[in-house]
Amino acid sequence: MERVKSEVLGRGDVQDLIASAWASVRAMIVAAAEDERSELRQRARAAILSLGRRMVTDRRLRDKIDGWLEDAAVYVVTTYRDEITSLISETVASWDADHTSRKIEAHIGRDLQFIRINGTVVGALAGLVIYTVSRALGG
């Protein structure tokens, strides 16, 4: 039976049929996912909302999902550490300093001014404390 199965699945026309069937199924899934009124999308939305409601009230479920997510994050980081480091390093290295500064200022906006002011005030206070301590100690 294994030999017959291998022979049948190894034939080019069977492979073409499988590829065609998969392409059709994939196209139907993608179309359903893009259509806001599709049964697939409505059921997926209902399932996600139901899970969210259950997570609000069921601590055990929340803890279980937290554990799964933590395990997944640890696995991804330990398995793909070098790739993640490389991706981040290459991305940051490719940034243009002026362009990046403008983008940060545009997105952070007013908050950036408060950060700058707070930094100036904290720096001035730290300097004043250091000066006062050094003068008090006879420096």
Side-chain angles (χ1 to χ4, degrees):
M1 288 306 286
E2 274 302 311
R3 184 180 59 79
V4 170
K5 180 182 86 172
S6 294
E7 286 178 13
V8 169
L9 291 177
R11 295 183 57 160
D13 53 344
V14 172
Q15 289 293 318
D16 291 344
L17 177 64
I18 292 169
S20 174
W22 170 243
S24 296
V25 168
R26 184 179 180 279
M28 288 186 330
I29 292 170
V30 168
E34 290 174 348
D35 180 6
E36 291 184 21
R37 293 170 288 153
S38 74
E39 183 74 19
L40 173 69
R41 191 141 166 192
Q42 289 176 5
R43 284 182 182 246
R45 182 178 186 276
I48 291 169
L49 289 172
S50 174
L51 176 63
R53 284 191 293 273
R54 280 192 57 210
M55 285 179 63
V56 167
T57 60
D58 188 342
R59 177 147 184 91
R60 283 186 50 213
L61 175 64
R62 237 183 358 256
D63 291 345
K64 186 181 283 191
I65 291 174
D66 280 347
W68 290 342
L69 292 173
E70 183 178 340
D71 291 346
V74 167
Y75 173 79
V76 167
V77 168
T78 57
T79 304
Y80 301 105
R81 173 180 292 133
D82 293 336
E83 290 86 350
I84 293 169
T85 302
S86 176
L87 174 67
I88 293 170
S89 298
E90 290 171 11
T91 300
V92 172
S94 71
W95 288 350
D96 173 59
D98 292 333
H99 177 72
T100 303
S101 296
R102 283 192 299 278
K103 268 188 135 173
I104 290 171
E105 288 184 11
H107 288 290
I108 296 175
R110 258 183 72 185
D111 293 340
L112 190 57
Q113 295 304 318
F114 291 116
I115 293 168
R116 288 179 177 146
I117 292 168
N118 287 340
T120 302
V121 170
V122 169
L125 290 174
L128 180 62
V129 168
I130 291 170
Y131 175 78
T132 302
V133 168
S134 68
R135 295 293 285 179
L137 296 175

